[in-house]
Amino acid sequence: MNQITSQTTFEFLITTSKGLDGMLLEEIAEICPDVALKSKPGQVLFSGELADAYKVCIWSRLANRVLVKLAEGEVNTADDVYKVTDQANWPTHFGVNDTFMVDFTGTNQSINNTQFGGLRVKDAIVDQFTTFFDERPSVSKISPNIRIQARMWRSILGVYIDLTGQSLHQRHYRTKTGIAPVKEHLASAMLIRSGWPKNIQAPLIDPMCGAGTIAIEAAMMATNMAPGLKRETWGFDAWKQHDHASWSRLIAEAEQAKHPHNGVIWANDIEASIVSVAKENAQAAGVFDLIKFTHQDACRLPSSDLPSGYMVSNPPYGERLSETTQLIPTFQKWGSWLKQEFKTWHLSLLTSDRNLLRQMKLTAKKDYKLMNGKLECLLVNYELDEKNCQVRENKTVNNDFANRLGKNLVKTNKWLKTQNTNCYRIYDADLPDYNVAVDRYADYLIVQEYSAPKDVPEHKAKRRVQEVMMSLPQVTGIDPNKIILKVREQQKGKNQYQKVSERKETIEVFENGAKFQVNLYDYLDTGLFLDHRVTRQLFQKKSKGKDVLNLFAYTGSVSVHAALGGAKSVTTVDMSNTYIDWAKENFKINKLSGAYEFIQADCLTWLNRHNGKYDLMFIDPPSFSNSKRMEGTWDVQRDHIALITDSLTCLNPGGEIVFSNNLRQFKLDETALVALGLSIENISKQTLPEDFQRNPKIHNCWSLVKQ
């Protein structure tokens, strides 16, 4: 077996995240000043002694893994993977009783499957042990004693032992994390790029600290605490060539290298529970006493008369459109606050959405591409100097959407003078590039963004919706916090009323003498379909003195209008308990009491067992449903004749059904209905409100009268 001495030279490969390789090269040059370094994307390579690799393990704040090369060669066939791996004398590196695993990365024309490549590496290793000892070590993917990395680069395969085990970014102080945490090595990179380590006595603030990673990494830097000191297990623990004496000496030196720090490191978050997590992590890291923790709104965080310092943070940037656009007012407000309270400070912010940072109205000094996990991000540096802190008046938004919306509002305001409602549509996908609908409910706006076609890049779709969200407050005067974005996809069955939130907040709106409770946050729909405003008014006029049935009633808005129109009785039927309760509440706020019945049931089966008689019905079924509460499925095109046939058994002679649905390609089977003894009148156009004229197919509506 090969024996090593302290002077034995190895070839090492150090990995890091994309975008950090240049910084890693500089860092290793400081840690190991006597070795010659080479850099590749995401890697630094050098030849040196084991002590050099140990120093990187202990001191690197930017590396992920430290690998020692055991074999390398050209691979043109699958058998070459085996041959290259077999170059290493594996029993000199670990024992037959140790467990190991193989990570294989990269492919070429010969090896286009990493699992197959890893299998060939494993075969070569276990065959050696079988030959020498007639036994083989076991493979374990959970906490193996030895981790082997095989890395393919074009036709060259390198085989390595991983000295780190787990990635070095795992410092083992984070007991918990917040939402979208920044990795420890990336937090260190942010601090280095901000310039703070070169002025380490200056105050440092993370105003949106989350799990506290940035502040903790800063405290470790400030006290010269080696990031590897907290780790108890390493990838070299079972490696036969591990130099225990050298490692122990370097650990002792690292412990002795720590020193005090008297500067200000401040971690703040708006959520007290998140600050508690940050405190636990700081305690585990041994730097709790070095960090000031507070919980308050970053948009109101004072500089506390600190001298000019550094603000470094990973603020929320949202991965979904709805999340991103809801953050726009926060960043606008925060930018104004920073200009007022933190003049002369340095500001470094990580984001995956540069447009969000532009809401702060600051000019960037420099930006750097970084990866936060698999998410491409930018670290953007600002100087809050006199020029940046000048108060900039908000420019009037000038884009095609804003211009069209302004014209729409002029027209809408004229039309509203003849209406009696505070909920209506103000924009309906007028422009192809802004494929949204905007509805006003009292002093709120609902923006419905339909999922962009696959040929529209995500970044373009996001930018388009951001323009909408930025334009709306200025053009309409609505508070940005009362503008709600919902991304719609074609919904089927129970998904059409799927919950998207749990805020349980409602507001009251009015329409033609009726009041309704709407929920603008929790569902894709609000509880009131605005395109049926005229339909409800028409139905109200038909209801006086009649026994009325409202099937598929949703929140009972048609029932309310029927009752207000003087109906003799109103029966409201829906499958959902939630919507039946909602309908009752709508009756309550309209002070309606009398012969009003609310029934939770599957409308289809309820009709079959019901023998009541009605003079007027409103039937507005879903296009499709596969609800678990139903027997089978429902398809309005396929099943509408059966539904209407069942309805006729409950309809008095001369009675009328107002039948509606929103399936755009729907074809009413008039021949079958005439055979049932019904006269038919298409009233779709006369039930279309003025604010929905751009979308004449939003619903279909007929009057069906029993002869």
Side-chain angles (χ1 to χ4, degrees):
M1 292 187 180
N2 296 339
Q3 298 297 318
I4 66 166
T5 68
S6 59
Q7 284 77 40
T8 300
T9 299
F10 295 87
E11 291 185 51
F12 300 108
L13 186 154
I14 318 299
T15 69
T16 189
S17 298
K18 183 179 177 181
L20 302 188
D21 34 84
M23 298 172 65
L24 179 63
L25 185 73
E26 294 177 5
E27 181 189 54
I28 295 179
E30 291 185 12
I31 296 172
C32 305
D34 299 326
V35 300
L37 305 174
K38 292 190 296 184
S39 180
K40 289 184 179 181
Q43 302 175 5
V44 172
L45 303 92
F46 68 89
S47 296
E49 300 172 5
L50 266 185
D52 296 315
Y54 290 159
K55 289 176 186 176
V56 175
C57 288
I58 296 169
W59 284 103
S60 178
R61 303 184 190 277
L62 304 173
N64 280 335
R65 296 190 180 277
V66 177
L67 310 177
V68 57
K69 186 192 295 182
L70 302 187
E72 184 177 83
E74 190 169 350
V75 170
N76 296 309
T77 68
D79 286 342
D80 289 340
V81 173
Y82 187 101
K83 292 175 183 177
V84 171
T85 306
D86 197 44
Q87 292 173 13
N89 186 346
W90 291 102
T92 67
H93 295 285
F94 64 98
V96 73
N97 293 320
D98 289 317
T99 59
F100 76 102
M101 72 171 290
V102 177
D103 293 312
F104 195 102
T105 62
T107 58
N108 69 3
Q109 291 182 341
S110 303
I111 303 295
N112 56 17
N113 182 288
T114 56
Q115 286 186 325
F116 175 69
L119 183 62
R120 296 302 290 148
V121 171
K122 185 266 295 182
D123 288 344
I125 294 170
V126 298
D127 285 352
Q128 269 199 23
F129 278 94
T130 302
T131 299
F132 287 131
F133 305 107
D134 205 25
E135 287 186 79
R136 50 165 287 180
S138 299
V139 174
S140 173
K141 293 185 177 180
I142 302 174
S143 301
N145 301 124
I146 297 290
R147 294 183 73 105
I148 295 160
Q149 278 214 17
R151 304 175 71 91
M152 180 78 76
W153 174 250
R154 295 178 180 169
S155 64
I156 302 300
L157 175 68
V159 184
Y160 305 82
I161 278 186
D162 183 351
L163 301 184
T164 51
Q166 292 179 312
S167 174
L168 285 177
H169 84 267
Q170 299 178 30
R171 316 278 203 239
H172 293 269
Y173 61 72
R174 288 209 308 204
T175 57
K176 298 176 183 175
T177 61
I179 298 173
V182 62
K183 289 186 176 181
E184 294 90 327
H185 72 306
L186 184 59
S188 289
M190 291 169 63
L191 289 163
I192 293 168
R193 287 297 195 202
S194 76
W196 175 75
K198 294 180 179 178
N199 190 16
I200 210 159
Q201 290 302 319
L204 176 81
I205 301 177
D206 182 353
M208 301 179 183
C209 71
T213 308
I214 292 173
I216 293 169
E217 290 294 314
M220 293 171 68
M221 286 183 182
T223 56
N224 200 35
M225 180 187 294
L229 286 178
K230 288 288 179 181
R231 178 172 297 213
E232 296 180 356
T233 61
W234 292 87
F236 52 69
D237 288 340
W239 186 39
K240 288 186 176 181
Q241 300 191 23
H242 171 43
D243 187 344
H244 295 270
S246 178
W247 175 255
S248 299
R249 174 177 56 80
L250 291 171
I251 285 290
E253 290 175 0
E255 291 284 3
Q256 292 297 318
K258 291 186 289 187
H259 56 65
H261 175 67
N262 298 318
V264 174
I265 299 174
W266 186 354
N268 175 80
D269 201 277
I270 195 169
E271 296 287 344
S273 59
I274 294 297
V275 174
S276 295
V277 169
K279 288 180 177 180
E280 287 183 34
N281 291 339
Q283 191 75 50
V287 296
F288 178 83
D289 294 335
L290 298 172
I291 302 173
K292 172 185 176 182
F293 292 96
T294 59
H295 62 92
Q296 57 185 304
D297 186 350
C299 297
R300 288 288 178 266
L301 188 70
S303 62
S304 298
D305 297 322
L306 291 171
S308 178
Y310 293 77
M311 185 176 287
V312 183
S313 194
N314 173 36
Y317 33 79
E319 294 187 35
R320 296 193 298 268
L321 280 174
S322 55
E323 295 172 340
T324 301
T325 52
Q326 293 302 311
L327 291 169
I328 288 173
T330 299
F331 278 82
Q332 291 172 338
K333 183 179 178 183
W334 193 30
S336 298
W337 178 254
L338 290 173
K339 294 174 192 177
Q340 171 187 324
E341 191 70 15
F342 288 89
K343 292 178 181 178
T344 75
W345 279 62
H346 306 268
L347 177 66
S348 296
L349 301 176
L350 186 71
T351 186
S352 69
D353 189 341
R354 188 72 172 80
N355 287 326
L356 265 180
L357 296 191
R358 291 192 177 100
Q359 307 311 311
M360 302 173 75
K361 300 292 190 292
L362 294 170
T363 301
K365 181 179 180 182
K366 193 169 179 60
D367 57 52
Y368 304 91
K369 291 182 179 180
L370 300 174
M371 295 295 295
N372 188 9
K374 295 182 179 180
L375 194 62
E376 291 186 6
C377 293
L378 280 177
L379 179 70
V380 186
N381 283 357
Y382 303 89
E383 298 288 345
L384 296 177
D385 52 19
E386 184 176 348
K387 181 179 178 181
N388 242 340
C389 289
Q390 288 177 349
V391 177
R392 304 180 192 179
E393 294 184 8
N394 285 330
K395 297 179 180 179
T396 302
V397 175
N398 184 20
N399 57 47
D400 290 342
F401 171 78
N403 294 335
R404 175 58 67 92
L405 181 61
K407 292 176 182 178
N408 284 5
L409 289 179
V410 171
K411 182 179 178 181
T412 300
N413 288 335
K414 292 180 181 178
W415 164 74
L416 274 175
K417 292 178 182 178
T418 64
Q419 302 296 308
N420 178 23
T421 184
N422 65 347
C423 38
Y424 45 89
R425 180 153 291 184
I426 61 175
Y427 178 89
D428 198 1
D430 302 39
L431 303 172
D433 286 343
Y434 299 93
N435 186 28
V436 301
V438 184
D439 295 324
R440 180 160 187 167
Y441 290 82
D443 55 351
Y444 287 79
L445 293 179
I446 300 293
V447 181
Q448 300 179 64
E449 155 73 359
Y450 289 87
S451 295
K454 292 181 179 179
D455 59 347
V456 177
E458 184 179 351
H459 71 277
K460 286 188 177 180
K462 184 175 284 191
R463 185 174 67 243
R464 183 183 67 213
V465 178
Q466 286 176 341
E467 286 183 21
V468 169
M469 299 298 284
M470 286 185 283
S471 301
L472 284 171
Q474 290 197 30
V475 179
T476 66
I478 297 290
D479 183 340
N481 293 312
K482 292 185 176 182
I483 301 176
I484 303 149
L485 174 68
K486 297 182 179 182
V487 181
R488 299 188 70 101
E489 298 178 10
Q490 185 173 359
Q491 301 293 326
K492 290 187 175 183
K494 62 183 180 180
N495 291 330
Q496 64 188 327
Y497 304 128
Q498 184 176 355
K499 275 199 172 186
V500 294
S501 179
E502 291 283 353
R503 295 179 61 153
K504 298 181 180 179
E505 296 177 19
T506 61
I507 65 168
E508 188 178 296
V509 296
F510 63 85
E511 169 196 283
N512 297 320
K515 299 175 183 178
F516 296 108
Q517 190 179 80
V518 293
N519 184 323
L520 305 182
Y521 293 98
D522 291 351
Y523 303 88
L524 287 173
D525 292 310
T526 64
L528 186 66
F529 294 125
L530 301 187
D531 62 294
H532 270 312
R533 183 189 313 111
V534 175
T535 315
R536 288 188 287 269
Q537 206 169 3
L538 178 67
F539 197 84
Q540 178 175 331
K541 292 176 182 178
K542 294 174 178 284
S543 298
K544 188 172 179 63
K546 295 180 179 178
D547 291 311
V548 174
L549 173 64
N550 182 10
L551 285 178
F552 307 96
Y554 191 33
T555 60
S557 57
V558 169
S559 300
V560 168
H561 274 284
L564 291 173
K568 182 180 178 182
S569 69
V570 180
T571 300
T572 302
V573 185
D574 195 273
M575 189 185 301
S576 166
N577 275 317
T578 298
Y579 294 124
I580 287 295
D581 289 341
W582 199 331
K584 291 177 181 178
E585 188 63 29
N586 280 334
F587 268 68
K588 183 178 179 181
I589 63 177
N590 283 280
K591 296 182 170 57
L592 291 169
S593 59
Y596 307 130
E597 187 176 13
F598 301 89
I599 299 172
Q600 183 273 315
D602 175 358
C603 295
L604 303 175
T605 57
W606 181 82
L607 273 175
N608 289 329
R609 64 176 187 268
H610 184 64
N611 57 8
K613 294 293 183 180
Y614 300 93
D615 306 305
L616 181 64
M617 295 182 184
F618 185 75
I619 304 178
D620 184 21
S623 298
F624 179 87
S625 181
N626 59 355
S627 172
K628 292 180 180 179
R629 295 184 180 181
M630 295 177 58
E631 295 180 7
T633 62
W634 159 264
D635 183 300
V636 70
Q637 184 62 68
R638 181 191 68 200
D639 301 324
H640 72 281
I641 294 300
L643 170 63
I644 293 171
T645 300
D646 289 342
S647 301
L648 288 177
T649 63
C650 302
L651 189 66
N652 288 320
E656 179 181 5
I657 298 173
V658 176
F659 178 73
S660 177
N661 68 76
N662 62 355
L663 180 65
R664 294 198 173 201
Q665 297 80 27
F666 180 78
K667 301 292 183 184
L668 187 73
D669 189 343
E670 295 190 10
T671 302
L673 293 180
V674 170
L676 290 173
L678 290 170
S679 64
I680 305 166
E681 180 186 1
N682 190 328
I683 58 174
S684 299
K685 287 186 178 179
Q686 68 189 80
T687 60
L688 189 69
E690 178 73 21
D691 45 333
F692 285 86
Q693 292 295 321
R694 281 190 51 80
N695 189 6
K697 293 185 178 180
I698 194 164
H699 69 240
N700 311 289
C701 202
W702 291 267
S703 168
L704 310 176
V705 178
K706 186 176 184 180
Q707 301 298 311

